[in-house]
Structure formats: C-alpha cells, structure tokens
Amino acid sequence: MTRATPKSFHVKSFGCQMNVYDGTRMTELLAAQGLTEAGQDEADLVVLNTCHIREKATEKVYSDIGRIVKHSVEARGVRPMIAVAGCVAQAEGSEIPLRSKAVDIVVGPQAYHRLPALVADAATGVAALDTDMPTASKFGALPARRVTGASAFLTVQEGCDKFCTYCVVPYTRGAEVSRPWAQVMDEARALVEGGAREITLLGQNVNAWEGEDEAGRTRGLDGLIRALDRLPGLARIRYTTSHPCDMSEALIGAHGDVETLMPFLHLPVQSGSDRILKMMNRSHDSASYLRLIDRVRQARPDIAISGDFIVGFPGETESDFAATLALVETVGHAQAFSFKYSPRPGTPAADMDEQIPADVMEARLQRLQALLNSQQHAFNRATVGRHTRILIEREGRRPGQKLGKTPWLQSAHLATEAPIGSLIDVTIASAGPNSVAVEKI
Ligand code: SAH
Ligand code: SF4
Ligand code: F3S
C-alpha cells in the first residue's frame, strides 16, 4: 500500500542517554530533509527510539504504537507512518511488523542515517527494514549539529564487548567502537558554538574510549577530556557510563587536576556479592570495586558516586543481597539506579536455574531503594553551606524561576533573570531528597 510522503515528524526516545543522543541526531537528520517537528498526535511520521534492556521497556513500545495510532486517527483521521528505531528494532527486526501491523519502518541503532531512504521506501509501499551494523560509521552521513541548549550529549563510544550474562546491549549495539579523535573534537566545537557550556561524553563503556590524537599518539578518555578542557567556552565536562575494569589510573588522575571535569562518577557495580558478580561475568569483585572508589576519592575527595544495581539475579540469596546492602553502606552514594532483574531472550542468565520469585525481588528492591534514597538525601545535606556554581540549564516550573545543576549533578532552582547557559555563584542553602535550594552569592 502506498502512503503519503510525511511532511512532519516526531521522535520519542526511551532508555539510556545514548538513545537520547541518537534521537537528537534523527531529529536533526529529518529536519535537514525539510520535515517539520510536530507533536506526537499530529506528526505524519512517528519514530519510536526504543530500549530493550528490560522486558517492561520492550513491551511499552507495543502499547505505545497502539495508542499513538488511535489518537492520530481520532484527532486527524489519518494513520501516521510508524518507525521503530533503537534497540528493540535491532533485537526483534522483522518480527516487529508481524506483531504490529501499524509499523512501517524498522531501523537499528547503527543504521538510522538511512532513515530518509527508508521513509521513501515506506511511502511507496516497499518493506523498509535496516538492522545492518555497517563497518562505515553512520556519523559521517549525518548532518552537522544544531543549537542544543546549555548541556549537550556527545556519543564518543558505542557498543560493548563485556557480555555480562544478563545484558542485551552487546547484541543490540554491537562490538565496542570508539569514534575518532578529530570527529569528536569537531562535534564538541560545533556544540560549543551552538551554545553548549557543558558536554557529557557518552558510551556504553565510555571509559574504554581509545583513539589517536593530532600527533598520532594513542590516548584514552583522559586524553580526550584534557583536550576538551582547553576548548574555549566549554565550562563543564562529564562522562557516562563507565565500567570498573576500564577505569584507568590516568582517568582517575584527571579527576584530580582537570578543573572542568565535574566531580561526579557513575560507576555501576550491580551487586556486592562476589558469587553473583562472577555469575554476572562482571570481571571485578566487590573488594576491587571498593579499592577503585577509594582511589577516585583520593584524587577528588568531594566526588559524588553513582551506580547501577540489579536485585534478584538468578540464584541471589538473602546473604548475597545483604552483601549488596553492605557495599552500598560502604560506598555512600550521591544517587543510584536500581532494577529488578529481567530475564532477556538470548542472554545466558535467562536460562540459569533458580530464577527469583517476583515478590522476593520486589521486597529486595524496596529495601535497597530505601537505603539509596536515604544516602542521596544525606549526600545533599552534606553539601549545605558549600559555595559553588550552578549551570542554568532551563526554565523552572514557576515564572522567573530557572533550573540549574551543581557540579555534583544536583538539581537546583533559582529565581534569576540570568539566561540559560549562565554559570552563577551560589551557596547551597538547604537540601531535599531530590534537589537542593541555592542562594546567589
Ligand atoms: N554499560 C552500562 C550499562 C548499560 S545498561 C554498564 O555496564 O554500566 C544500564 C543498566 O541496566 C545496567 O547497569 C544494569 O544495572 C541494568 N540492566 C541491564 N540488563 C538488565 C536486566 N536484564 N535486568 C535488569 N537490569 C538490567
Ligand atoms: Fe551490559 Fe555489561 Fe556491557 Fe554494561 S558492561 S552494557 S551491563 S554487557
Ligand atoms: Fe536500552 Fe539500548 Fe540504551 S537497550 S539502555 S537503549 S543501549
């Protein structure tokens, strides 16, 4: 069946920050084709940039498709063209249009630069599916970056070779690849020219980034950070997500002496039980993780530590879980994400014995989150009285109010006329569980 060529589009991203980045690049790509951005119910083309990490995330896509089509038909009497992009597209490929007839296009995370051609195919009624992982990177085929706001994401590394036994990412994103130095520096310059004051370097294992600098020397992420530190106009650098095994001495050292590198480290550990870590194929144990945290804190004593945790991995006993709580107590987190284990098709852990009952998982998650929430509140309270700076990132909810971030990634509201992108000297006046209140100095 032929379809009208879409004139407007809407991109909706789920999942991690790398998907948010990809969503931005797809938006830039479609805008460069002359399509205009529209709301979800008004757009001729809706791109769902999906996440496959847990079952819930995947299932959400299918319920979303139904809802979007229904709303669009009710509002405008037309069925939009639907593209499924991202990690579900990669994992389920040609099964998607079989399961949902409303889907016109399926495009994987390494192929979305071909979206315009796929849209043209779909308009002529040709099946439009592309889940290739081409050797030539998509980045060269994407248009230049547009203005982005005060804080921008920049993907520098993609894919994962770690194969944790619970995780789909090595299958959906492919092998670890680092973007070349010059390409990253060019994109960073474009972002700063567009108004970005902060850049967050992204990768599934961003601290595994490796490349050659202008002089042909092999550099790690620390080298890239040091070069970005010298970029005029760039005030803040962050990076995420890191794997403990790729946390080099040089990168730890950068936290000690690169002023623009913010004192925040997201370093997932997943569990505090060595037995479970082994079954997860994490290639670190709890002691090596804690030593790492000590070294980072020696380099940068005020650093805020964040992490990811999975409860209810197959075979997790009450004493394994107690080891996770003990590790959390030792580390003291500024924030963290915690999840119930979700068996994923094709991963080794999905076939392991002793899958944990849902109610046990739920109870453990509640206990862990109670502890992590209290640590987050305690971290926020411990910053009260500090003189620091916030970067104004967007308008606040109330008129005249702006939303900013402290160096430790805490949200801070401030009544100010200062424009987005300003850095303002403040004192942290009081702390809540999820944000801090600040006063202008
Ligand atoms: N590369 C990153 C993780 C990306 S996925 C890293 O290793 O840190 C983000 C988080 O999702 C993981 O850290 C893990 O805590 C969680 N996760 C991954 N697979 C999961 C699964 N099958 N069930 C529950 N949580 C999972
Ligand atoms: Fe998944 Fe492990 Fe790779 Fe992280 S390191 S993306 S958890 S396989
Ligand atoms: Fe999800 Fe893919 Fe990111 S599975 S977490 S969107 S890499």
Side-chain angles (χ1 to χ4, degrees), residues 14-20 22 49-54 57-58 86-88 109 159 167-170 172-173 204 344:
F14 305 84
C16 62
Q17 287 139 321
M18 305 198 55
N19 251 21
V20 175
D22 290 340
N49 190 21
T50 60
C51 174
H52 195 53
I53 202 84
R54 285 167 288 275
T58 304
C87 289
V88 177
C167 184
V168 293
V169 171
T172 62
R173 292 278 175 164
Q204 265 92 18
R344 307 306 291 129

Side-chain angles (χ1 to χ4, degrees), residues 114-128:
R114 299 193 191 131
L115 202 45
L118 293 165
V119 170
D121 283 350
T124 57
V126 174

Side-chain angles (χ1 to χ4, degrees), residues 121-300:
D121 283 350
T124 57
V126 174
L129 180 125
D130 195 340
T131 51
D132 282 359
M133 295 218 180
T135 39
S137 142
K138 63 188 171 252
F139 293 108
L142 292 168
R145 301 302 313 267
R146 293 192 310 181
V147 179
T148 53
S151 180
F153 288 146
L154 202 180
T155 292
V156 300
Q157 183 277 339
E158 291 197 282
C160 180
D161 297 337
K162 302 280 192 288
F163 291 93
C164 300
T165 52
Y166 50 81
C167 184
V168 293
V169 171
Y171 313 99
T172 62
R173 292 278 175 164
E176 280 182 13
V177 179
S178 295
R179 287 181 71 190
W181 176 281
Q183 209 184 78
V184 172
M185 293 304 291
D186 285 349
E187 190 168 328
R189 266 182 227 110
L191 290 170
V192 173
E193 274 163 28
R197 307 299 313 278
E198 172 178 279
I199 290 180
T200 303
L201 304 174
L202 299 180
Q204 265 92 18
N205 284 308
V206 72
N207 56 345
W209 185 90
E210 200 178 76
E212 276 181 16
D213 64 13
E214 290 101 342
R217 280 171 306 185
T218 300
R219 309 289 293 268
L221 188 67
D222 57 291
L224 199 55
I225 288 169
R226 287 181 192 279
L228 290 169
D229 176 58
R230 291 192 292 273
L231 209 65
L234 184 61
R236 292 181 163 191
I237 303 166
R238 301 181 186 274
Y239 64 93
T240 199
T241 295
S242 296
H243 193 285
C245 297
D246 292 317
M247 205 65 214
S248 69
E249 282 306 320
L251 183 56
I252 295 173
H255 277 285
D257 62 19
V258 179
E259 220 174 290
T260 53
L261 180 58
M262 291 294 104
F264 188 95
L265 178 63
H266 182 71
L267 195 64
V269 62
Q270 315 298 354
S271 168
S273 156
D274 291 341
R275 204 177 67 83
I276 295 293
L277 287 170
K278 208 170 187 141
M279 288 202 288
M280 287 177 161
N281 190 32
R282 283 292 294 181
S283 42
H284 59 78
D285 59 19
S286 57
S288 64
Y289 181 84
L290 291 172
R291 276 199 303 276
L292 198 51
I293 295 293
D294 275 349
R295 295 215 302 279
V296 174
R297 282 191 165 136
Q298 268 161 31
R300 180 79 203 221

Side-chain angles (χ1 to χ4, degrees), residues 38-81:
Q40 186 175 286
D41 297 339
E42 290 84 44
D44 300 335
L45 165 69
V46 177
V47 182
L48 295 171
N49 190 21
T50 60
C51 174
H52 195 53
I53 202 84
R54 285 167 288 275
E55 192 183 354
K56 240 191 203 157
T58 304
E59 289 310 309
K60 192 169 175 348
V61 178
Y62 291 101
S63 55
D64 253 43
I65 293 171
R67 204 158 33 83
I68 290 165
V69 171
K70 184 167 172 275
H71 284 178
S72 179
V73 169
E74 279 168 7
R76 311 187 298 149
V78 284
R79 194 168 69 80
M81 190 180 274

Side-chain angles (χ1 to χ4, degrees), residues 280-363:
M280 287 177 161
N281 190 32
R282 283 292 294 181
S283 42
H284 59 78
D285 59 19
S286 57
S288 64
Y289 181 84
L290 291 172
R291 276 199 303 276
L292 198 51
I293 295 293
D294 275 349
R295 295 215 302 279
V296 174
R297 282 191 165 136
Q298 268 161 31
R300 180 79 203 221
D302 68 335
I303 198 159
I305 302 292
S306 163
D308 289 346
F309 295 89
I310 296 175
V311 301
F313 185 82
E316 185 186 71
T317 62
E318 187 53 35
S319 85
D320 291 320
F321 177 63
T324 298
L325 294 177
L327 179 135
V328 169
E329 291 280 6
T330 310
V331 171
H333 294 78
Q335 60 172 64
F337 301 96
S338 45
F339 312 100
K340 285 186 272 190
Y341 167 73
S342 173
R344 307 306 291 129
T347 60
D351 296 326
M352 286 181 187
D353 296 335
E354 291 183 73
Q355 301 282 327
I356 304 298
D359 57 333
V360 176
M361 271 204 251
E362 182 59 37

